[in-house]
Amino acid sequence: MSTTDHCEALSLMPLAAAIDTILNEVKAISETETLNLYVAHKRVLATDIVSLLNVPPADNSAMDGYALRSEDLTTIDTLELIGTTLAGSPFTGSVNAGQCVRIMTGSVIPQGTNCVVMQENTETNGKLVRFIQKPDAGNSVRKAGEDIAAGQLIVSKGTVLTPAHLALIASIGQASVEVIRQLTVGLIATGDELTLPGQQLMAGAIYESNSFALAAMLENLKIKVINYGIAKDEIASLRDVFKRADSECDLVVSCGGVSVGDADFVKDILAESGRINFWKVAIKPGKPFAFGRLSQAWFCGLPGNPVSSYVTFEQLVMPLLRKLGGQSTAINQAPYFVAKAANLVHKRPGRADFQRGYFYRDVKGQLWVKTQDNQGSGVMSSLTNANCYLLLPQEQGDVNSGLELNILPFSNLFTD
Ligand code: AMP
Ligand code: MG
């Protein structure tokens, strides 16, 4: 490490400490709303859900076939067919020794019977059924309550509702759920050089791109986005837009203007309006990051470089949003995998590095990861050409080709 690197490393806040500070300060909102299950996907449950019912409510058949008494087939192989039971219209009679009932999947097991033989293992002339296999009691019977028992907690408060949760809640007959109200997040892009896509690019300008990724990530979390567009590097207009966003949002996220450039006015504005801490977080891409409170809203200031804003949003803003939005787990719990480096991975100790890479499995089943060639914090194509992050801890140095490291597939990142 050079002397400059060393001095810098001492002044950097470890990523875990930055996340801890944010999570200690931010409290979950408590306002709730009741939603029909149809529109509750990805929302955060505000109450525990306990089932009043058994699911399934009665013993029922797992197969199309015949319901019978297993003991009957110990001495004979043919039974008298006395009726049919369909899903939704149970057989009401009772089944005696030597008898069986045709049964469809999901139909309630008739009184007196204790098993089902699938029709593929039978022969029938319409009056008698011959059984090729001898069943045991309980075969192909789904027991009442085997999925959910009455009184059981089925989904806890703070859970993000997945498609499977919605089906589970519907299966106990509940049509609506109480969820935490939606958060509103404001996005502000700062910089005189920024131009909206679709407009003509003047000399020295670039297109504003960060807010498109941030808005999409917020949408993925079912968060309302207010896009305040581009603010010029100019005190009065910045003051105005921050004031407006403060009064309309739960969290205001800006990008750009938090480093030490001459035109970085965001710091000055925020110093006037709230409790804002500017941190140099030991994260790469990233580093300059601001966190604090405006008069009403929380605030995060992301670095302007596109990959930096993307990664710091995932690593620092998403935990904040999960906590604020009432989720029971604020830290992303996506599983990571161990892969071998397919090339030498350059890494200087001092910052946790989220390098972009491409992982694949060889014919022997070994996972490998190849890093993108250009890891520049402005190189957005390093993300679109990659399928994972290499998780390189703060004090990690170079990783030689063939050595193991942890990777986090992108597909795992947005599951909650
Ligand atoms: P800053 O943090 O304002 O010094 O910006 C760092 C770099 O990121 C500069 O090259 C900016 O032009 C670029 N940048 C800042 N904001 C954006 C944005 N919203 N979209 C694309 N690039 C940006
Ligand atoms: Mg700027």
Side-chain angles (χ1 to χ4, degrees):
M1 212 190 274
S2 72
T3 319
T4 338
D5 283 345
H6 187 68
C7 290
E8 186 183 82
L10 290 178
S11 65
L12 297 183
M13 179 185 278
L15 178 58
I19 295 173
D20 272 358
T21 307
I22 292 173
L23 296 183
N24 281 335
E25 281 228 19
V26 172
K27 303 285 171 262
I29 59 166
S30 52
E31 299 107 295
T32 65
E33 59 180 323
T34 299
L35 288 184
N36 191 294
L37 266 189
Y38 282 113
V39 291
H41 183 210
K42 292 192 176 179
R43 296 296 299 271
V44 181
L45 197 60
T47 59
D48 285 345
I49 295 189
V50 173
S51 179
L52 300 176
L53 307 177
N54 280 320
V55 179
D59 292 359
N60 70 94
S61 177
M63 297 284 178
D64 288 341
Y66 297 90
L68 55 106
R69 307 144 62 97
S70 57
E71 60 273 23
D72 288 1
L73 295 186
T74 51
T75 50
I76 53 173
D77 69 357
T78 301
L79 301 176
E80 179 196 359
L81 180 60
I82 59 161
T84 297
T85 171
L86 301 172
S89 48
F91 181 78
T92 45
S94 80
V95 181
N96 298 314
Q99 297 180 327
C100 67
V101 169
R102 176 127 174 81
I103 192 164
M104 301 304 162
T105 304
S107 310
V108 173
I109 300 294
Q111 280 265 301
T113 67
N114 64 8
C115 68
V116 172
V117 173
M118 66 197 275
Q119 65 192 29
E120 290 84 342
N121 293 334
T122 66
E123 289 165 356
T124 182
N125 60 7
K127 292 202 170 81
L128 296 173
V129 184
R130 193 170 82 82
F131 292 87
I132 297 159
Q133 259 189 353
K134 291 195 187 310
D136 292 322
N139 281 178
S140 300
V141 174
R142 304 191 288 213
K143 298 299 283 178
E146 74 173 18
D147 182 357
I148 300 167
Q152 192 181 322
L153 170 68
I154 62 162
V155 195
S156 358
K157 176 180 170 169
T159 301
V160 180
L161 296 173
T162 64
H165 288 123
L166 300 178
L168 193 75
I169 296 166
S171 80
I172 64 164
Q174 201 167 312
S176 59
V177 276
E178 194 181 347
V179 297
I180 304 290
R181 75 151 167 84
Q182 246 181 331
L183 297 175
T184 301
V185 172
L187 294 179
I188 303 171
T190 72
D192 285 344
E193 75 283 26
L194 302 178
T195 306
L196 279 180
Q199 296 184 351
Q200 206 192 334
L201 205 59
M202 300 305 189
I206 60 162
Y207 284 117
E208 194 286 300
S209 57
N210 294 354
S211 70
F212 291 84
L214 301 179
M217 291 198 271
L218 289 162
E219 219 173 81
N220 228 339
L221 300 169
K222 286 277 168 124
I223 288 172
K224 266 191 245 164
V225 178
I226 303 181
N227 199 332
Y228 293 93
I230 299 167
K232 294 285 173 204
D233 287 320
E234 189 262 313
I235 291 266
S237 58
L238 278 171
R239 189 179 283 126
D240 182 55
V241 72
F242 273 101
K243 204 167 165 201
R244 210 146 41 90
D246 182 21
S247 68
E248 293 172 342
C249 302
D250 297 298
L251 166 73
V252 178
V253 176
S254 69
C255 56
V258 287
S259 52
V260 286
D262 283 343
D264 290 337
F265 294 119
V266 170
K267 279 181 157 179
D268 304 336
I269 296 295
L270 294 171
E272 295 171 5
S273 59
R275 293 184 289 116
I276 314 292
N277 305 297
F278 290 87
W279 296 334
K280 283 187 178 173
V281 180
I283 181 175
K284 192 176 176 202
K287 196 159 70 175
F289 181 85
F291 163 70
R293 192 147 177 92
L294 305 171
S295 353
Q296 293 178 44
W298 292 101
F299 170 73
C300 289
L302 310 183
N305 274 311
V307 189
S308 305
S309 75
Y310 191 94
V311 171
T312 50
F313 182 89
E314 284 176 338
Q315 293 303 319
L316 290 153
V317 185
M318 294 226 329
L320 184 161
L321 289 168
R322 292 196 195 98
K323 175 87 187 274
L324 187 62
Q327 293 189 31
S328 42
T329 43
I331 307 287
N332 188 301
Q333 303 208 308
Y336 57 80
F337 297 95
V338 177
K340 285 186 176 172
N343 54 274
L344 166 67
V345 177
H346 292 286
K347 161 85 172 65
R348 271 193 271 168
R351 290 200 263 166
D353 195 346
F354 292 81
Q355 291 194 22
R356 281 72 65 209
Y358 195 89
F359 76 95
Y360 55 94
R361 210 176 268 284
D362 69 15
V363 286
K364 292 184 187 146
Q366 173 65 47
L367 277 186
W368 291 90
V369 63
K370 191 185 167 324
T371 46
Q372 292 294 309
D373 291 338
N374 191 340
Q375 296 285 335
S377 58
V379 180
M380 207 54 196
S381 57
S382 71
L383 272 164
T384 56
N385 293 328
N387 64 2
C388 69
Y389 287 117
L390 284 73
L391 302 174
L392 302 165
Q394 185 167 333
E395 291 317 323
Q396 175 80 55
D398 285 350
V399 180
N400 283 328
S401 167
L403 293 185
E404 289 186 332
L405 45 77
N406 292 333
I407 59 165
L408 179 61
F410 291 160
S411 54
N412 289 354
L413 264 171
F414 282 106
T415 49
D416 56 357

